[in-house]
Structure formats: structure tokens, C-alpha cells
Amino acid sequence: MTPNREDYLKLILELGGDQKKINNKQIVSGLAVSAASVSEMISKLLKEGLVEHSPYQGVQLTNTGLATASALIRKHRLWEVFLVEHLHYSWNEVHDDAEVLEHVTSETLASRLETYLDNPRFCPHGGMIPEQGQMIHEGEKNTMSSFPVGTKIRIARVLDERELLDYLVAIDLNIHEEYQIIDAAAYEGPITIKNDAKEIAVSYKAASTIFVDKL
């Protein structure tokens, strides 16, 4: 399987495609590719039995697609933990190198890396790290953009996407921080959150890919 196909499967899973339909617009945004490229790749994944497609609803991973995506994400996230904890990468720097390493990592190497890291269960971006052969089910979490003003939230997970992570570093937003939503501008404008230490205006696009726990 080509790295390009693998990237699609991983993104669909990160967006919740193990449990629900993911539309092409979300994939376009997540991979920064054209709508035509997404349609072409979805057709290929459909023929290979890796996704199911419903008109006007989107795609969802088949069991085969979920197993493939889970194995890939396991390797990717283990390398992210290693890079952050042992080579002192910041959380927005790890994606590109982990992307390269995952494609050349055998199951034996992944298992030894997992043992060396003392069996981490989450990556630096809050994503679950499955055990070997385990399917990933992140669990139902809503995005920041789905909650009304006044809601208290905790940042639980963000998409592992370089542009997004660079943006979050720039606005100083981090995993596990707690906030209250104090404003949501009209027409998909920024969402403003605040805690005792800081107040941050988060773009609607970013808020749509930041998964939170309601407090």
C-alpha cells in the first residue's frame, strides 16, 4: 500500500471514520488536497474494500480498513512519543518525521519501541495508542466548535496535522488545558475561550478539529 493511501485511511480514522461517515470536505481540509483528488482516492479505497461509501453522507472504514489504519497509527504515535520524550521535539514538530518512520517500521520494531517507552497509551496530541492487533476506537468526543457559549471544556485531542499544530503552538493552546467558551462569532468566526491564565481566540476551522471533554 502506498503512503498516500495510508494517509487517507489514517485521517478518516482520526476524524472518527470507525464509527461514522466522514464527508469529502473534511478530508480535503485535513489533507490539504483538491476535491477531485479526494474523489479519485476514495474510489480506489472503495474498490479495495477499505472503505464503504454512502451518497451525500461520506465514507466509513470497513473492518479491513480499520485494521490497516490502526496498525499505521500505532506505529506513528509510538514514534511521536519517542521523539517528544527522548529527542525533545515539540508536539508540532513530530508529525513529519514520525510519518517517515512509520512506513519503514516492522511490527517487531514497533513492539520493541512500545516496550522501551513503557507502553504509552496516548500520543502527544491526545490520541490513543492501541496494542498490537488492537483496533482504535477513540470514543465519541465533540469538537470545540459544537458547544455553545458558556460551556466549560478540557482540550482532549487534536488532529495530527502540521499546519494545525503550528497554529496551536502560535496561540499557546495545549492538551489537557481547561477553558470556558466565552464567545462564538457569527458566520463561522473565531471562538473565544478563557481560563485564569489566558484568553484565546481560536479560528473556527481549528475549533472544528479540536476534540474536547465537556466539564
Side-chain angles (χ1 to χ4, degrees), residues 6-183:
E6 293 174 347
D7 289 342
Y8 274 80
L9 293 177
K10 288 191 302 178
L11 179 66
I12 292 169
L13 178 52
E14 282 204 83
L15 290 169
D18 56 324
Q19 299 175 359
K20 63 184 180 182
K21 297 289 192 299
I22 305 301
N23 62 50
N24 284 20
K25 183 179 178 181
Q26 292 173 281
I27 300 173
V28 167
S29 178
L31 291 175
V33 293
S34 70
S37 295
V38 171
S39 295
E40 181 181 354
M41 181 56 74
I42 292 303
S43 294
K44 293 177 181 178
L45 297 176
L46 188 62
K47 289 178 182 178
E48 293 167 6
L50 297 169
V51 299
E52 299 172 342
H53 179 263
S54 298
Y56 310 109
Q57 294 183 33
V59 296
Q60 187 169 348
L61 295 172
T62 62
N63 287 337
T64 301
L66 177 57
T68 302
S70 296
L72 290 166
I73 285 181
R74 165 180 158 78
K75 295 173 183 178
H76 185 95
R77 290 177 176 177
L78 284 171
W79 281 118
E80 288 186 331
V81 173
F82 176 82
L83 293 171
V84 168
E85 293 187 356
H86 295 277
L87 298 186
H88 310 298
Y89 280 58
S90 64
W91 76 328
N92 62 315
E93 295 174 329
V94 295
H95 176 79
D96 291 347
D97 285 344
E99 184 81 10
V100 173
L101 290 165
E102 75 180 60
H103 295 302
V104 295
T105 299
S106 66
E107 284 299 337
T108 299
L109 176 55
S111 294
R112 293 188 179 188
L113 180 62
E114 181 179 43
T115 300
Y116 176 76
L117 295 170
D118 197 23
N119 304 300
R121 296 277 61 92
F122 296 94
C123 77
H125 312 115
M128 171 190 172
I129 300 176
E131 297 176 2
Q132 185 174 352
Q134 180 184 5
M135 303 289 196
I136 290 184
H137 293 289
E138 298 280 9
E140 282 290 331
K141 288 189 185 299
N142 293 313
T143 61
M144 181 186 296
S145 60
S146 65
F147 287 104
V149 171
T151 307
K152 294 182 179 180
I153 58 172
R154 179 188 297 110
I155 309 301
R157 181 169 66 90
V158 301
L159 284 190
D160 186 3
E161 192 274 313
R162 180 60 187 266
E163 183 181 349
L164 171 65
L165 296 171
D166 285 344
Y167 173 75
L168 297 181
V169 168
I171 63 174
D172 192 25
L173 184 68
N174 301 291
I175 289 286
H176 306 313
E177 292 180 338
E178 297 180 2
Y179 295 92
Q180 182 172 17
I181 299 174
I182 62 170
D183 187 50

